[in-house]
Amino acid sequence: MRTIDITAGSREAKQAYSLYEQACEEQDMLHLPLTDREFEEKFLLPQEGMEKISLILEGGRAFASGVADRLTGKLFVTMAVTEKSSRRQGFGRAVLYDLEKRLMELNGKKELEISFFNPVPLPWGITGDKKIEHPNTPGVDVRSDAYIFLKNCGYRDFAMQNSYYLELSDYKLPEKMAEKRLQLEKEGITFTFYDPDVHTHMEKMLRDFQNPLWEKELLKETSRERGGRPVLVPVYQGRVCGFAGPLDVEKSKRGYFSGIGIDEAFRGKGLAKVLFCLLCEGLKERGAEFMTLFTGENNPARNIYEAVGFSIIRSWADMRKRQL
């Protein structure tokens, strides 16, 4: 079974796009449909800081795509799809194995990963009475056939992620959080939007969190007056001691959420819950109708989300495979 490199605008690109669309339509996966142009941008067209490889099996029965991320130095499998009538015949496994080999040749590393750190985000959603969409798939849906397929191909769980949902139509800042905010302000901690010309310590704090995605996104942000997307921060004597945001409303009316973090020197004061409640309030004021987010099964941050009223709607596995 021979695999072929997929290039934008080719017959193979159309075949791969058809496989992706079929899987979306038949709800074999939660990924949202893409236009053919969006598909090519995600899987085929060059992007700064990464190298993509997309392969299709001769005859168009299965395709797989992955990326080498220069920022983290990691190798990621982004997608593997097999035509429905051709499953369980070795086609998907064949194209995935060729993809793994090609990715490892790029930087000599022997470990492949499927996780939210993948720099190629794929949107997903759940149909039903409520509109639920999220811009990035944080792993492998544990309810999907793909999860079993990847287990059989040698991938193993290294973390579990839960996706959370909150409807914002009835959201109000809890009275206890309003009182806590006043208490913190008496201690000199105020809540405002980040302005790099006024506030200090943002870059150091983000580096200390050791989350390259936060650094990549948030260090681009500026104050609203300078045209940037606003980032909500608690500030003590001009020093940033946490963040939440950026505050942005997507086309789906989802309130955007990159993350929340508190400087280690200011933890234990209740800042995180107040900060997150203010974020929800701010997003609602900007027109957001709902929020989705994900966090690790064992991440203490889940206590913040659940206290506000978020509920789990899906669970995902972050998976790795190491070649011997």
Side-chain angles (χ1 to χ4, degrees):
M1 289 181 277
R2 188 171 72 94
T3 55
I4 302 170
D5 282 273
I6 307 172
T7 56
S10 65
R11 181 186 67 174
E12 290 78 19
K14 293 179 180 179
Q15 290 175 327
Y17 178 61
S18 178
L19 289 174
Y20 179 88
E21 286 292 281
Q22 180 190 62
C24 290
E25 289 171 7
E26 297 180 356
Q27 297 185 344
D28 292 331
M29 58 187 184
L30 296 178
H31 297 94
L32 296 176
L34 303 170
T35 65
D36 54 355
R37 178 63 181 178
E38 289 171 336
F39 178 85
E40 291 196 342
E41 288 176 349
K42 293 283 186 185
F43 296 103
L44 306 179
L45 297 179
Q47 279 183 260
E48 185 179 356
M50 66 185 81
E51 189 165 353
K52 301 176 184 177
I53 296 177
S54 292
L55 305 174
I56 193 165
L57 207 60
E58 190 173 28
R61 292 184 173 185
F63 98 93
S65 181
V67 59
D69 182 22
R70 297 193 186 100
L71 177 65
T72 62
K74 292 183 177 182
L75 303 174
F76 295 96
V77 173
T78 306
M79 173 72 59
V81 176
T82 304
E83 182 186 39
K84 196 164 188 177
S85 63
S86 300
R87 292 173 189 168
R88 297 178 178 84
Q89 299 176 48
F91 298 115
R93 188 184 295 254
V95 73
L96 178 61
Y97 283 0
D98 264 11
L99 173 68
E100 293 169 350
K101 180 181 177 182
R102 291 280 300 280
L103 285 171
M104 289 186 291
E105 289 172 351
L106 291 176
N107 63 9
K109 294 191 175 181
K110 299 295 183 181
E111 188 171 81
L112 301 114
E113 183 168 310
I114 305 171
S115 76
F116 60 89
F117 283 116
N118 190 326
V120 180
L122 293 177
W124 65 275
I126 297 177
T127 57
D129 296 335
K130 297 177 180 178
K131 187 176 185 181
I132 301 175
E133 294 183 7
H134 192 82
N136 184 18
T137 307
V140 183
D141 178 10
V142 296
R143 302 187 199 177
S144 67
D145 289 342
Y147 182 58
I148 302 301
F149 167 73
L150 290 163
K151 288 273 194 181
N152 289 331
C153 290
Y155 288 81
R156 297 293 179 261
D157 305 350
F158 71 89
M160 297 298 295
Q161 306 290 333
N162 291 320
S163 289
Y164 284 84
Y165 172 85
L166 177 68
E167 189 172 346
L168 291 176
S169 58
D170 298 325
Y171 181 80
K172 294 180 181 178
L173 184 67
E175 187 175 331
K176 286 185 177 180
M177 292 299 103
E179 293 173 357
K180 185 64 178 177
R181 179 184 184 180
L182 290 174
Q183 178 188 331
L184 289 167
E185 287 178 348
K186 290 178 181 178
E187 297 175 13
I189 299 174
T190 58
F191 296 84
T192 185
F193 292 103
Y194 173 60
D195 186 336
D197 293 332
V198 175
H199 304 131
T200 65
H201 202 68
M202 184 70 150
E203 292 188 19
K204 182 181 185 306
M205 179 186 70
L206 290 173
R207 285 195 299 270
D208 289 344
F209 288 145
Q210 297 183 349
N211 185 324
L213 295 182
W214 284 354
E215 288 188 59
K216 181 179 179 181
E217 179 166 19
L218 294 170
L219 290 182
K220 295 178 182 178
E221 309 305 335
T222 62
S223 67
R224 286 178 294 175
E225 290 75 12
R226 293 174 59 182
R229 295 157 66 200
V231 177
L232 192 61
V233 293
V235 177
Y236 179 74
Q237 296 181 350
R239 170 180 170 172
V240 171
C241 44
F243 84 92
L247 277 73
D248 199 4
V249 181
E250 299 173 342
K251 290 182 180 180
S252 64
K253 297 297 183 180
R254 171 185 177 263
Y256 183 84
F257 180 70
S258 173
I260 183 170
I262 302 297
D263 189 314
E264 187 174 4
F266 292 86
R267 291 173 189 170
K269 296 178 177 291
L271 271 71
K273 287 184 180 179
V274 175
L275 186 62
F276 189 71
C277 288
L278 292 173
L279 173 74
C280 294
E281 183 181 56
L283 287 168
K284 179 185 175 181
E285 290 172 352
R286 284 166 172 77
E289 296 177 358
F290 70 97
M291 285 181 67
T292 56
L293 55 89
F294 66 88
T295 194
E297 172 71 20
N298 298 316
N299 189 338
R302 68 178 295 175
N303 298 321
I304 300 171
Y305 310 140
E306 291 169 5
V308 173
F310 278 78
S311 57
I312 296 173
I313 53 172
R314 213 72 174 188
S315 293
W316 314 79
D318 289 332
M319 307 182 80
R320 286 194 186 115
K321 178 178 180 179
R322 181 167 182 81
Q323 299 283 19
L324 300 177

